[in-house]
Amino acid sequence: MDPTEAVVSTTLNTVSRVSGRLAGTGAYALFHMPLARSKMRSSERELFDAAHRGRVRVNGKSAVTYRWGTGERPVLLVHGWQSRGSRFSDFISGLLDRGYSVVTFDAPGHGDGTGRSTTIIEYQKILTELHDQYGAFEALVAHSLGALGSFHALTKGVKAERIVAISGVCDFEYLVDEFVSGLKLRPSLKGELLVRIGKDLFPGVPADRMPFSVRHATEVITAPVLVVHDEDDTRIGVGQGRAIAAAFGDRARLITTQGLGHRKILGDPDVVRSVLDFVEHG
């Protein structure tokens, strides 16, 4: 735990002894706030300078969108937490070479997006707006938290013919557990945090389906799914990838790698080739 996290941990735990609700509010705000904002790498800049840029407004903030191609045969790329659309550069070049149009974005609080925070519901709204603009996607490729947000959007009307989850999150509660564990928060704070999540993000959802899990989406989503996850991912454990694949049964294919971790997996040539082949041929 770094010094900033240590201060946050101590503050929230102390406040929770006086007011669990107040501490829960603080934890909820922090839970949706990336502590770092990824910068574009020099190797990514030329490709992204050539993109057509746009914006999607959501809750007073803006996601920055990027598009290459005519808009025909669209493929949507969805980044994860503390990341940005440019991390898909190796995929973008390959997709363009195969005749696809490519769409990606920087969510609020990420990359060139505005604001300091975002939620799974804001991801859903961004994906819905892009779906309204480009129609059903030939494929949707998502990384990390972006996979969970994408599956949620797919249950709300977004359509994609093929789905790829790389280092993906299966269960929203997994993120809550990692957040509470990482900050060494008191167990009671997890309960307060889940109350806020249920009230603000998933109102009206039955208790046995709150918070959201990809397991809840399999009856709605009928597209084939490719799951790629590294055995040595210390950010999102490979068990989450296995859970996504298991949830879809025969409709899913699981590829596991070793030594790539959570982020290097996006630049691995074998992973990129496998994903491009799945997008094109299934």
Side-chain angles (χ1 to χ4, degrees), residues 215-229:
R215 304 169 212 261
H216 305 153
T218 56
E219 295 176 0
V220 178
I221 299 170
T222 59
V225 178
L226 175 66
V227 180
V228 186
H229 216 114

Side-chain angles (χ1 to χ4, degrees), residues 154-201:
L154 288 161
T155 69
K156 301 296 183 180
V158 172
K159 302 295 183 184
E161 293 183 18
R162 296 185 177 95
I163 304 163
V164 181
I166 304 172
S167 309
V169 179
C170 179
D171 305 306
F172 193 100
E173 192 163 359
Y174 178 89
L175 299 175
V176 177
D177 288 337
E178 289 295 298
F179 177 78
V180 171
S181 175
L183 289 178
K184 294 180 169 44
L185 300 180
R186 299 175 67 209
S188 61
L189 267 176
K190 178 184 175 181
E192 292 288 345
L193 186 53
L194 286 172
V195 168
R196 283 297 305 269
I197 288 169
K199 177 181 177 181
D200 291 0
L201 301 184

Side-chain angles (χ1 to χ4, degrees), residues 5-239:
E5 290 176 335
V7 170
V8 170
S9 174
T10 299
T11 301
L12 289 175
N13 282 326
T14 300
V15 172
S16 71
R17 297 178 188 279
V18 179
S19 173
R21 182 176 297 179
L22 182 59
T25 298
Y28 179 80
L30 186 63
F31 180 69
H32 293 112
M33 188 180 297
L35 298 181
R37 187 184 289 258
S38 294
K39 297 180 180 179
M40 189 174 293
R41 298 167 181 162
S42 57
S43 59
E44 301 165 344
R45 189 161 299 282
E46 182 178 357
L47 177 62
F48 272 71
D49 282 347
H52 174 81
R53 289 195 176 208
R55 289 187 179 272
V56 173
R57 296 285 293 174
V58 56
N59 295 334
K61 299 171 288 189
S62 292
V64 176
T65 64
Y66 308 90
R67 191 203 77 210
W68 298 260
T70 61
E72 298 179 354
R73 304 182 70 202
V75 175
L76 179 63
L77 308 177
V78 185
H79 70 76
W81 195 246
Q82 294 186 170
S83 189
R84 58 184 299 144
S86 62
R87 297 298 183 260
F88 286 106
S89 289
D90 291 334
F91 295 89
I92 294 167
S93 299
L95 288 165
L96 292 174
D97 288 343
R98 297 188 186 210
Y100 294 96
S101 296
V102 182
V103 181
T104 189
F105 62 91
D106 296 341
H110 295 74
D112 290 341
T114 66
R116 296 186 60 196
S117 65
T118 195
T119 68
I120 188 175
I121 303 304
E122 290 182 352
Y123 264 71
Q124 173 206 323
K125 291 179 178 178
I126 294 164
L127 268 63
T128 299
E129 174 64 27
L130 293 174
H131 181 267
D132 290 345
Q133 290 182 33
Y134 298 104
F137 298 102
E138 292 214 8
L140 188 159
V141 181
H143 179 240
S144 189
L145 174 69
L148 186 69
S150 295
F151 280 114
H152 189 256
L154 288 161
T155 69
K156 301 296 183 180
V158 172
K159 302 295 183 184
E161 293 183 18
R162 296 185 177 95
I163 304 163
V164 181
I166 304 172
S167 309
V169 179
C170 179
D171 305 306
F172 193 100
E173 192 163 359
Y174 178 89
L175 299 175
V176 177
D177 288 337
E178 289 295 298
F179 177 78
V180 171
S181 175
L183 289 178
K184 294 180 169 44
L185 300 180
R186 299 175 67 209
S188 61
L189 267 176
K190 178 184 175 181
E192 292 288 345
L193 186 53
L194 286 172
V195 168
R196 283 297 305 269
I197 288 169
K199 177 181 177 181
D200 291 0
L201 301 184
F202 306 109
V205 174
D208 64 342
R209 294 203 166 209
M210 203 299 294
F212 177 74
S213 169
V214 174
R215 304 169 212 261
H216 305 153
T218 56
E219 295 176 0
V220 178
I221 299 170
T222 59
V225 178
L226 175 66
V227 180
V228 186
H229 216 114
D230 193 77
E231 297 276 1
D232 303 310
D233 190 331
T234 58
R235 179 64 188 89
I236 305 297
V238 68

